[in-house]
């Protein structure tokens, strides 16, 4: 049985609430990537994700300084960020029109290629925008964040079967959108 | 009966309908292309997150506002609003050690008349005096003539 990583969040939360110096700095550096990643997934827009992530960090620290003591910090954080992103989507004009056809058929770049960072980001945003809001939430939480189906259901306040349905639909759309652009593997005859 | 045959055929077809596979959350149960698609997206998100700089200063400064600041600002704003609203009321007594005069706009003179004068013009009071009324106010004397008001405020 591999040793489990101790959960750092209760200690960090306690330090923030006891106003220990630099506790917020430590928490901020630690939590920013996860919050940004959630916002990028939910909003499918890099610049909107940055704005939303900053708002999210501010909201989280206000809750923490106000005395919030979540039993599961990461789930609690995810729920707050999700609600914030839903509000952001409602506020902005719906620019995320799903396109009927991909605008390009060029092969997808390797995400680890630093030189192709902008192209990777564009492709990622374009793919996520194909998903309706609920499908995108389910896909981000389950396939990108790695949460269990039951946890996703609790955060989204829907049943587990609904999560599976949303997930199936999301994967189907993404496969149709990105599948033709995936680089072929050796011995594979292309996408079916 | 021959007329029921289409219905029997339909019922037979109906019985052969296969239900689609139940929706699954297990990625391993999906086809290879779907798995590769999701894998690419996972890698793309990780790369995008790694390249997004952590913007500490503004958010941290905001996060460090003291708790008492917001209520204090709210109270100050309410005080300013109440002071502003109080100045919109009828002017109250001026400071006790001052006598204040409001400057009245002089009434417009009568327009020149053409033709014979009205029979009672010489005996009639002037246009100014015709419309003038005086009455005591709470703290002095108030003279009114149409829309014009002259207030004489005295102090004790």
């Amino acid at each position: 049985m591999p040793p489990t990583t101790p959960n750092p969040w209760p200690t960090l939360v306690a330090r923030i609430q006891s106003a220990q110096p630099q506790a917020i700095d430590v928490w901020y550096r630690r939590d920013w990537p996860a919050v940004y990643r959630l916002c990028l997934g939910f909003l499918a827009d890099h610049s909107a994700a940055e704005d939303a992530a900053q708002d999210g960090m501010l909201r989280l620290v206000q809750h923490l300084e106000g005395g919030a003591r979540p039993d599961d910090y990461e789930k609690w954080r995810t729920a707050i960020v999700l609600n914030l992103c839903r509000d952001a989507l409602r506020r902005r004009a719906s620019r995320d029109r799903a396109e009927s056809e991909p605008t390009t058929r060029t092969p997808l770049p390797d995400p680890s290629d630093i030189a192709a960072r902008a192209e990777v980001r564009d492709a990622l945003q374009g793919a996520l925008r194909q998903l309706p809001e609920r499908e995108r939430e389910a896909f981000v939480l389950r396939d990108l964040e790695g949460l269990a189906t039951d946890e996703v259901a609790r955060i989204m306040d829907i049943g587990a079967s609904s999560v599976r349905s949303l997930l199936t639909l999301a994967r189907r759309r993404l496969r149709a959108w990105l599948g033709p652009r995936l680089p072929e593997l050796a011995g594979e005859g292309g996408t079916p | 009966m021959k007329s029921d045959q289409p219905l029997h055929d339909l019922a037979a077809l109906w019985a052969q309908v296969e239900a689609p596979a139940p929706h699954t959350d297990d990625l391993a149960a999906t086809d290879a292309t779907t798995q590769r698609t999701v894998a690419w997206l996972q890698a793309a998100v990780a790369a995008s997150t790694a390249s997004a700089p952590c913007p500490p200063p503004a958010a941290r400064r905001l996060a460090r506002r003291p708790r008492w600041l917001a209520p204090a600002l709210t109270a100050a704003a309410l005080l300013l609003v109440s002071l502003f609203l109080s100045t919109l009321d009828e002017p109250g007594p001026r400071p006790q050690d001052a006598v204040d005069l409001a400057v009245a706009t002089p009434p417009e003179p009568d327009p020149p008349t053409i033709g014979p004068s009205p029979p009672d013009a010489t005996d009639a009071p002037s246009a100014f005096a015709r419309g003038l009324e005086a009455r005591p106010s709470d703290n002095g004397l108030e003279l009114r003539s149409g829309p014009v008001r002259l207030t004489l405020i005295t102090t004790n």
Side-chain angles (χ1 to χ4, degrees), chain A residues 62 65, chain B residues 60-73:
Chain A
Q62 285 173 342
E65 288 185 329
Chain B
R60 292 183 197 182
R61 276 200 297 274
L62 285 173
R64 285 193 180 137
R65 271 187 307 189
R67 287 187 208 178
W68 54 262
L69 186 58
L73 289 174

Side-chain angles (χ1 to χ4, degrees), chain A residues 25 28-29 32-33 36-37 40 54 58 61 65 108-109 111 117 120-121 123-124 139 142-144 149 164-165 167-168 171 174-175 178 182-183 185 188 191-192, chain B residues 22-27 30-34 36-49 51-56 58-60 62-65 67:
Chain A
D25 286 350
Y28 202 100
R29 276 197 302 275
W32 164 259
Y36 169 77
R37 192 174 58 237
L40 179 62
Q54 291 202 38
L58 183 57
V61 78
E65 288 185 329
L108 290 170
R117 191 167 289 169
V120 168
R121 183 185 300 166
L124 172 64
F139 179 78
R142 181 71 175 84
D143 282 350
L144 297 185
T149 300
R164 291 189 195 95
S165 297
L167 203 55
T168 300
R171 288 170 177 168
L174 291 169
R175 183 190 184 283
L178 287 179
L182 288 171
L185 297 176
E188 195 176 274
T191 56
Chain B
H23 292 158
T24 177
D25 51 7
D26 185 8
L27 188 58
T30 61
D31 60 278
T33 302
T34 300
R36 288 174 55 212
T37 301
V38 173
W40 188 92
L41 286 164
Q42 290 169 339
V45 168
S48 295
T49 305
S51 65
C54 178
R60 292 183 197 182
L62 285 173
R64 285 193 180 137
R65 271 187 307 189
R67 287 187 208 178

Side-chain angles (χ1 to χ4, degrees), chain A residues 10-79:
Chain A
T11 305
L12 278 171
V13 169
R15 285 179 180 166
I16 290 172
Q17 292 175 339
S18 61
Q20 288 191 19
Q22 298 181 352
I24 288 184
D25 286 350
V26 171
W27 164 81
Y28 202 100
R29 276 197 302 275
R30 193 176 191 112
D31 222 16
W32 164 259
V35 172
Y36 169 77
R37 192 174 58 237
L38 283 169
C39 293
L40 179 62
F42 293 143
L43 299 178
D45 184 297
H46 167 67
S47 56
E50 281 199 29
D51 291 342
Q54 291 202 38
D55 288 344
M57 297 301 286
L58 183 57
R59 193 172 292 191
L60 287 169
V61 78
Q62 285 173 342
H63 281 299
L64 291 174
E65 288 185 329
R69 300 237 170 159
D71 294 331
D72 187 326
Y73 173 81
E74 291 179 340
K75 306 289 184 300
W76 172 80
R77 175 194 64 201
T78 301

Side-chain angles (χ1 to χ4, degrees), chain A residues 67-117:
Chain A
R69 300 237 170 159
D71 294 331
D72 187 326
Y73 173 81
E74 291 179 340
K75 306 289 184 300
W76 172 80
R77 175 194 64 201
T78 301
I80 287 178
V81 173
L82 174 59
N83 285 330
L84 185 147
C85 290
R86 283 175 173 172
D87 291 342
L89 285 170
R90 274 192 284 272
R91 277 197 303 273
R92 76 179 186 192
S94 174
R95 298 190 296 268
D96 298 344
R97 305 273 178 223
E99 296 164 18
S100 56
E101 289 284 331
T103 55
T104 176
R105 292 274 179 177
T106 56
L108 290 170
D110 182 355
S112 61
D113 183 1
I114 296 176
R117 191 167 289 169

